[in-house]
Amino acid sequence: MSSTTRQTLVMLRANLLGLPHRLAISVSMALSVALVVAVLTGFLAMAKGFEQALKGAGSPGVAVILGGGTNQETGSEISPDAIRAIEAMRDDLGVVRDAAGNLVSSREIVVPVDLRLAGDGTGRTLALRGMDTSGPSLRDGVRLSAGRLFRQGSREIVVGDRLAGEFPGFRVGDKVRLGVIDWTVAGHFSTGGSAFESEIWADLDAVRTGFDRQGQVQSLRLRLDSPTSIAPLKGALSAVTGTPLLAIAEADLYAAQSGRTADLIRLFGWPIALLMSVGATAGALNTMMSSVSDRTVEIATVRTLGFGRLAAFAATLAEALLLSLVGAAIGIATSWAAFNGWQASTIGANNAHMAFQLSVTADVMATAGLLGLAIGAIGGALPAFAAARLPLTAALRARR
Amino acid sequence: MTENLNHQPYIDLKGIRKGYRIGKESIPIFSGLDLTIARSDFVAVMGPSGSGKSTLLNMLAGIDSPDGGQLRIGSNRLDQMGESARSSWRAHNMGIVFQFYNLLPMLTAAENVELPLLLKPLSARQRRVRVEAVLDLVGLAGRGRQYPALMSGGQQQRVGIARAIVADPALLLCDEPTGDLDRTSADEVLAMLAFLNRDLGKTIVMVTHDPHAARQARRTLHLDKGQFSEQRSAA
């Protein structure tokens, strides 16, 4: 161990042993760091949870074809002619075909439906997705958690676990009024917590009939041979005339949607956290200045004995970093206990209600923790510099 | 001023100038101060408040530097050294005893004494052995684990002396070492300083207001208006 390290450690030890004399102001510094870290963790956990819900929904092995020049299901329309043209293609499209040589696909439509809540009379807009019976099998990781799937042509729905957990009227066998029609809940499904669990699925024709959207298809989902097969499919679609068609990997579709909203959440979270950080940094600066002021004679004494400026600087900075580390740990632990797994909801894709869980992941903790340490480093730098530059004669005179 | 001609001066000050600025006004402390002190001498410096005793001690300790002139201790020109070099010089050549002990209250007596040894390439065991030896030398054997707050003023000052000599420096600077002690404790401390000078050959420069303390030194210098006059020199 080098001499400077030994000097730093002994000065740091003396600083920390002297903390009880500055307990209130040191605790206040740690708590202000904790508050900033907790707030930032909350926002980042929200963005992360939203991202995870949407990214979990998308598979790179599934292509989504959209029409009408949009890259979202809302506003997309694919004409029956275009669908027939795609289904008639016999070339190798990079798409999985069944035993009869037909494309493994699902035509889909998403209808926003208002659900009136029994308790407070307020309403929620939910996403009702009409799909072919092959639709559920085109979702990776989907499984029935209760009941069964909807039957073709019937007014039956299957409800995502998140919705079923959030709204009491979605028990299997319940009748639910969506639009002007009563639908029977046939089952619940799980997709591992992804955004699909905030949807209601039903037969495509039943949805189109119930909401007067005969013949309408917003998206066509196709199972790809492999994730790289999206390129030949795009090439093949350029041969379809009449309407511009866009093929996009399902994973990319949801990643783009999650990116926009998550960025928005972060856009709110970071400025708030940074503004609070300014206050916390001022607090840290005050605390550490007070610490240096309290230790003026001690610092001057050891400097007179031959301790270096670097040790005085490093020990003061290390004290600030340790206090902010304690604060960051408290902030992370508090926000983890309070937020991790907490159910939240927002307006997601298709302008419908989307539920997700806040997720305090390792990278969220690391980012928020680093902000806490940055507060300590910035707040401690000036006092550390003051400790290193302490005029020894004046400092020693303080006790003469 | 007389000089011990049998020895090469250990401390040699020539034409030292030092002043302080208060606003636009410059207040001179020394305007051409000369001083020589032989190795293993024990010099007491007395003088009225504001005469420059502490400024002189600070310059000898290398925590303040002269505005002009030469300040040599041993073979080192302190007036030509930078802050970092003077810091290193202090660590290896000088021990200092403060009036108010300046012990770190959160460290034990042994940990306080160990501080100067942290600047040397010694193992933890080697440091512990030296700390125990020097605590024994100052009559505090077995008291190493005590915190300063639980010790009397005399004991604290002995810890301060132990800290000053643990690294075996040639020069010991003492700033009013008995100024905060009762007569009995002061006599113990003075006896210890005399022992360190007489038996271990330490060169000691002691600033004091106390004529009784000054009588323990071999020489007493009186500092007034920036100049020395020698009042007493031991036979």
Side-chain angles (χ1 to χ4, degrees):
Chain A
M1 192 186 294
S2 75
S3 171
T4 301
T5 308
R6 280 202 303 264
Q7 293 170 43
T8 304
L9 288 178
V10 78
M11 287 184 81
L12 177 61
R13 180 160 169 257
N15 295 357
L16 296 181
L17 289 172
L19 276 182
H21 297 292
R22 308 182 296 277
L23 191 61
I25 196 164
S26 302
V27 167
S28 124
M29 174 185 163
L31 289 183
S32 59
V33 171
L35 189 62
V36 172
V37 169
V39 167
L40 183 63
T41 303
F43 275 105
L44 294 181
M46 194 181 295
K48 179 62 70 177
F50 188 83
E51 267 180 346
Q52 284 179 342
L54 275 176
K55 280 183 178 167
S59 164
V62 172
V64 180
I65 297 175
L66 303 169
T70 179
N71 60 357
Q72 295 183 49
E73 286 184 284
T74 309
S76 164
E77 181 151 9
I78 307 175
S79 68
D81 289 344
I83 292 174
R84 275 193 292 274
I86 294 167
E87 287 176 340
M89 289 178 176
R90 290 294 136 193
D91 298 338
D92 183 9
L93 301 177
V95 175
V96 175
R97 292 179 186 274
D98 60 19
N102 298 319
L103 299 173
V104 174
S105 66
S106 171
R107 297 165 301 156
E108 300 189 356
I109 180 174
V110 179
V111 180
V113 291
D114 290 328
L115 182 75
R116 196 147 295 281
L117 300 176
D120 55 8
T122 57
R124 287 279 174 82
T125 301
L126 306 177
L128 172 63
R129 182 180 291 273
M131 57 173 64
D132 288 327
T133 50
S134 57
S137 66
L138 281 166
R139 268 78 183 175
D140 289 348
V142 68
R143 65 174 181 80
L144 274 172
S145 50
R148 56 174 174 75
L149 280 176
F150 57 84
R151 291 199 182 95
Q152 188 173 13
S154 68
R155 289 173 176 172
E156 291 177 340
I157 56 175
V158 287
V159 181
D161 274 350
R162 281 199 195 280
L163 278 188
E166 200 173 344
F167 300 104
F170 283 132
R171 288 184 298 267
V172 175
D174 282 355
K175 288 207 176 296
V176 183
R177 176 159 288 247
L178 302 174
V180 294
I181 293 169
D182 286 337
W183 300 74
T184 303
V185 179
H188 296 162
F189 67 90
S190 164
T191 54
S194 79
F196 285 136
E197 283 189 22
S198 294
E199 291 185 348
I200 304 167
W201 292 348
D203 176 67
L204 174 66
D205 288 328
V207 172
R208 292 198 291 197
T209 304
F211 290 88
D212 197 20
R213 307 227 179 157
Q214 283 84 357
Q216 189 179 356
V217 171
Q218 285 180 323
S219 63
L220 180 68
R221 274 176 162 74
L222 298 165
R223 170 71 68 187
L224 296 169
D225 287 337
S226 74
T228 56
S229 299
I230 192 80
L233 179 61
K234 284 178 179 175
L237 289 182
S238 61
V240 178
T241 57
T243 181
L245 296 175
L246 169 72
I248 183 169
E250 192 183 48
D252 294 340
L253 176 70
Y254 284 104
Q257 289 176 2
S258 73
R260 280 191 295 273
T261 307
D263 285 349
L264 196 65
I265 294 170
R266 291 191 184 98
L267 203 65
F268 276 106
W270 271 106
I272 291 172
L274 288 177
L275 270 176
M276 291 175 69
S277 299
V278 173
T281 303
L285 188 73
N286 189 36
T287 302
M288 295 313 300
M289 276 300 191
S290 159
S291 168
V292 171
S293 172
D294 274 2
R295 294 182 292 110
T296 296
V297 174
E298 280 83 359
I299 294 168
T301 300
V302 294
R303 293 268 293 109
T304 302
L305 296 179
F307 278 47
R309 280 181 167 164
L310 183 59
F313 179 90
T316 306
L317 190 62
E319 181 189 350
L321 287 173
L322 277 175
L323 283 174
S324 59
L325 185 68
V326 169
I330 293 170
I332 288 171
T334 305
S335 55
W336 189 87
F339 300 140
N340 196 40
W342 193 56
Q343 292 279 351
S345 63
T346 185
I347 301 299
N350 307 312
N351 296 323
H353 173 88
M354 193 193 114
F356 61 98
Q357 280 187 336
L358 270 67
S359 184
V360 183
T361 57
D363 61 329
V364 165
M365 289 190 278
T367 306
L370 281 175
L371 178 67
L373 285 180
I375 292 169
I378 296 169
L382 192 62
F385 191 68
R389 304 287 303 179
L390 200 68
L392 300 185
T393 51
L396 290 172
R397 208 179 299 136
R399 196 173 277 184
R400 280 180 184 154
Chain B
M1 187 189 310
T2 59
E3 185 178 292
N4 189 341
L5 297 174
N6 294 326
H7 297 88
Q8 170 76 18
Y10 177 59
I11 298 174
D12 191 3
L13 279 67
K14 281 199 179 97
I16 291 293
R17 285 182 288 107
K18 180 71 181 174
Y20 290 107
R21 294 193 76 83
I22 300 178
K24 290 179 179 174
E25 195 180 354
S26 179
I27 300 172
I29 305 292
F30 303 125
S31 306
L33 181 75
D34 297 324
L35 171 68
T36 55
I37 296 174
R39 187 177 291 276
S40 300
D41 205 350
F42 185 170
V43 176
V45 180
M46 298 187 72
S49 295
S51 60
K53 302 187 300 295
S54 294
T55 302
L56 173 68
L57 205 69
N58 288 340
M59 286 194 293
L60 292 177
I63 60 176
D64 203 354
S65 47
D67 298 334
Q70 291 182 13
L71 197 170
R72 186 179 58 76
I73 299 181
S75 57
N76 300 289
R77 281 283 299 272
L78 263 63
D79 57 290
Q80 294 178 339
M81 288 181 179
E83 162 62 32
S84 173
R86 279 185 280 138
S87 189
S88 174
W89 176 84
R90 282 197 298 275
H92 295 96
N93 296 281
M94 182 213 80
I96 187 162
V97 179
F98 300 92
Q99 178 179 0
F100 298 110
Y101 332 127
N102 285 31
L103 303 177
L104 273 61
M106 66 292 293
L107 302 183
T108 63
E111 287 168 338
N112 269 285
V113 173
E114 189 187 15
L115 288 171
L117 297 181
L118 297 173
L119 306 167
K120 296 187 175 295
L122 297 173
S123 68
R125 188 177 170 280
Q126 287 171 315
R127 293 199 300 270
R128 191 170 59 248
V129 167
R130 285 178 72 162
V131 167
E132 283 171 5
V134 84
L135 281 173
D136 190 26
L137 187 71
V138 299
L140 290 175
R143 308 293 288 273
R145 289 188 175 182
Q146 268 195 336
Y147 285 91
L150 300 175
M151 294 177 148
S152 69
Q155 288 172 329
Q156 288 189 55
Q157 191 58 296
R158 280 192 274 164
V159 173
I161 292 171
R163 182 179 63 187
I165 62 172
V166 71
D168 196 24
L171 175 63
L172 210 53
L173 301 176
C174 306
D175 185 9
E176 301 272 13
T178 59
D180 196 45
L181 300 177
D182 58 48
R183 178 50 59 202
T184 308
S185 300
D187 285 343
E188 287 173 2
V189 165
L190 291 169
M192 190 158 297
L193 293 177
F195 165 77
L196 292 171
N197 171 250
R198 186 183 60 244
D199 291 22
L200 301 182
K202 304 291 180 195
T203 306
I204 299 178
V205 178
M206 175 176 68
V207 165
T208 182
H209 278 106
D210 180 5
H212 175 72
R215 276 196 291 276
Q216 300 297 320
R218 294 172 193 260
R219 296 164 62 194
T220 302
L221 302 175
H222 192 81
L223 185 60
D224 195 14
K225 295 175 184 165
Q227 289 297 327
F228 282 117
S229 61
E230 184 147 345
Q231 291 187 322
R232 185 185 66 83
S233 189

